[in-house]
Structures are given as structure tokens and as C-alpha cells.
Amino acid sequence: MVSKIKTVLLSEEQLKARITELGAEISRDYAGEEPIFVGVLKGCFMFMADLLRSVDLFCTMDFMAVSSYGDGTSSTGAVKINKDLSRDIEGKHVIIVEDILDSGMTLSYLKHYLSVRNPASVRIVTLLDKPSRRNADIVADYKGFEVPDAFVVGYGLDYAERYRNLPYIGILKEEVYINE
Ligand code: IMP
Ligand code: MG
């Protein structure tokens, strides 16, 4: 697997340091509150596990699963809810946890989808932000890193469901798109 990675964009050390800062920032902003973190599966799983270990708050967690991409590397624009929340969020402070904000279609849809259930607030924390590709009117309240317009994998992010288990964020060799 590792032989298919062209470059390491963000190392394990860089991820750890920044995610610890994000956790501290969220802990300060929500002091005295009990937010609910809503992870967007599957991409969020590694980021959410590390982020929440740096959050010093009473909090709860829930997960949603959505599909927007199929197996390819460019957006179809359509968002499908494959798994909804298991608990009510009315009156709660919701923090959506995403792996990457790309076109913004997924998060703008999700933010609206959750907002109509009358939560106290809805904010977004994303590990990565690719602002160059945005075509929905959405910004992240908290973001780990801005990344260039390249398809990245690892640390939860996939290409055709593979590479999620890489411990860092990398860029795939072009041969992968052609031969697989
Ligand atoms: P958006 O709706 O275009 O913002 O796309 C959001 C989703 O597309 C993310 O949650 C990812 O699952 C996927 N995605 C976008 N860019 C990348 C990438 O560079 N690598 C892996 N997945 C990506
Ligand atoms: Mg994906």
C-alpha cells in the first residue's frame, strides 16, 4: 500500500500537533456546555478518535453516513443519507466532524439537514479544507489544514475505499488511477 504513495503531505507528527490544538480550542469555546459531536462516516473515524481525545468537555457523540462521491475522485453533487442520527438534537450544540471540505456540497446539505431539527447551534470542524474547489456557500468553523487541489488519501480518507488506514495524509501516484 505505502508504495502507491507519491508524497507525504501531512505527517503523523504534524497531524497530532494540529489536532491537539483544535481540541483545546473547542474545549475553550464550549466551556460549560455539553456539545454533541456528529461524525460523518467513514472518513471522520481516525480524525474524530484523535480530536475527541484532546477535548476536555462532557460531550456525546453520534454518527451519520452519507455518500456523495461513489468510488471516483470528483463530486457528483448528490448527497444521500445512508445512516441518520440515533438521538434527537433539539436544543443541543452540534459540532459536525468531517475529514475534508472540498466542493462543500456534502456539508452545506448536512448543515441544513441538521439545522431544521432546532439544535441550539451547528458548527463544523474539518481536518482538511480545499478552498480552491468550493462551489457551495459554506465555511468551516474549525479547520486543521488547508490543502492544495490534489486528491489526498490516508488518515480516514479513501480512494475507492482503500488507504483509509494510512497513518498520515498522502498524495497517490498517478498510476493508481490508471491501473486500478
Ligand atoms: P464535498 O461534498 O465535495 O465537499 O466532498 C466531501 C467528501 O468528498 C469528503 O467527505 C470526502 O469523503 C470526499 N473527498 C473530497 N476530496 C477528497 C480527497 O482529496 N480525498 C479523499 N476524499 C475526498
Ligand atoms: Mg470518501
Side-chain angles (χ1 to χ4, degrees):
M1 175 182 71
V2 167
S3 65
K4 303 290 185 190
I5 304 301
K6 185 167 70 178
T7 25
V8 176
L9 193 64
L10 297 165
S11 68
E12 291 185 66
E13 293 71 26
Q14 285 174 293
L15 290 168
K16 188 174 195 301
R18 181 67 187 123
I19 292 167
T20 304
E21 287 176 3
L22 279 178
E25 202 181 326
I26 291 172
S27 304
R28 277 196 301 276
D29 291 355
Y30 287 83
E33 307 289 348
E34 185 163 344
I36 173 163
F37 289 87
V38 172
V40 186
L41 295 170
K42 294 171 236 173
C44 75
F45 85 98
M46 227 180 253
F47 172 46
M48 187 152 166
D50 285 341
L51 176 69
L52 273 282
R53 275 181 275 195
S54 295
V55 168
D56 179 15
L57 293 169
F58 289 116
C59 61
T60 56
M61 291 165 220
D62 206 341
F63 295 92
M64 292 186 71
V66 303
S67 35
S68 59
Y69 258 61
D71 276 353
T73 60
S74 66
S75 184
T76 59
V79 177
K80 183 168 158 256
I81 307 283
N82 298 319
K83 183 216 170 295
D84 208 326
L85 296 177
S86 56
R87 301 279 292 272
D88 193 17
I89 54 166
E90 188 168 343
K92 302 242 165 75
H93 291 289
V94 174
I95 305 174
I96 302 174
V97 184
E98 247 291 33
D99 53 359
I100 186 166
L101 184 51
D102 186 28
S103 73
M105 304 296 281
T106 308
L107 277 177
S108 88
Y109 181 88
L110 264 188
K111 193 173 180 184
H112 178 259
Y113 185 82
L114 297 181
S115 295
V116 298
R117 298 182 187 179
N118 299 317
S121 66
V122 182
R123 283 189 183 163
I124 291 168
V125 53
T126 186
L127 176 63
L128 307 178
D129 187 11
K130 247 191 232 177
S132 54
R133 304 231 322 157
R134 195 67 32 81
N135 67 44
D137 181 22
I138 186 111
V139 287
D141 301 281
Y142 304 95
K143 69 174 155 196
F145 302 89
E146 280 195 10
V147 292
D149 183 11
F151 196 77
V152 296
V153 295
Y155 201 72
L157 291 106
D158 71 304
Y159 171 66
E161 294 298 329
R162 288 176 164 174
Y163 305 100
R164 294 191 197 274
N165 55 318
L166 264 187
Y168 50 82
I169 303 274
I171 298 178
L172 284 177
K173 292 179 178 168
E174 281 83 12
E175 64 180 52
V176 176
Y177 305 114
I178 299 158
N179 298 332
E180 283 180 22

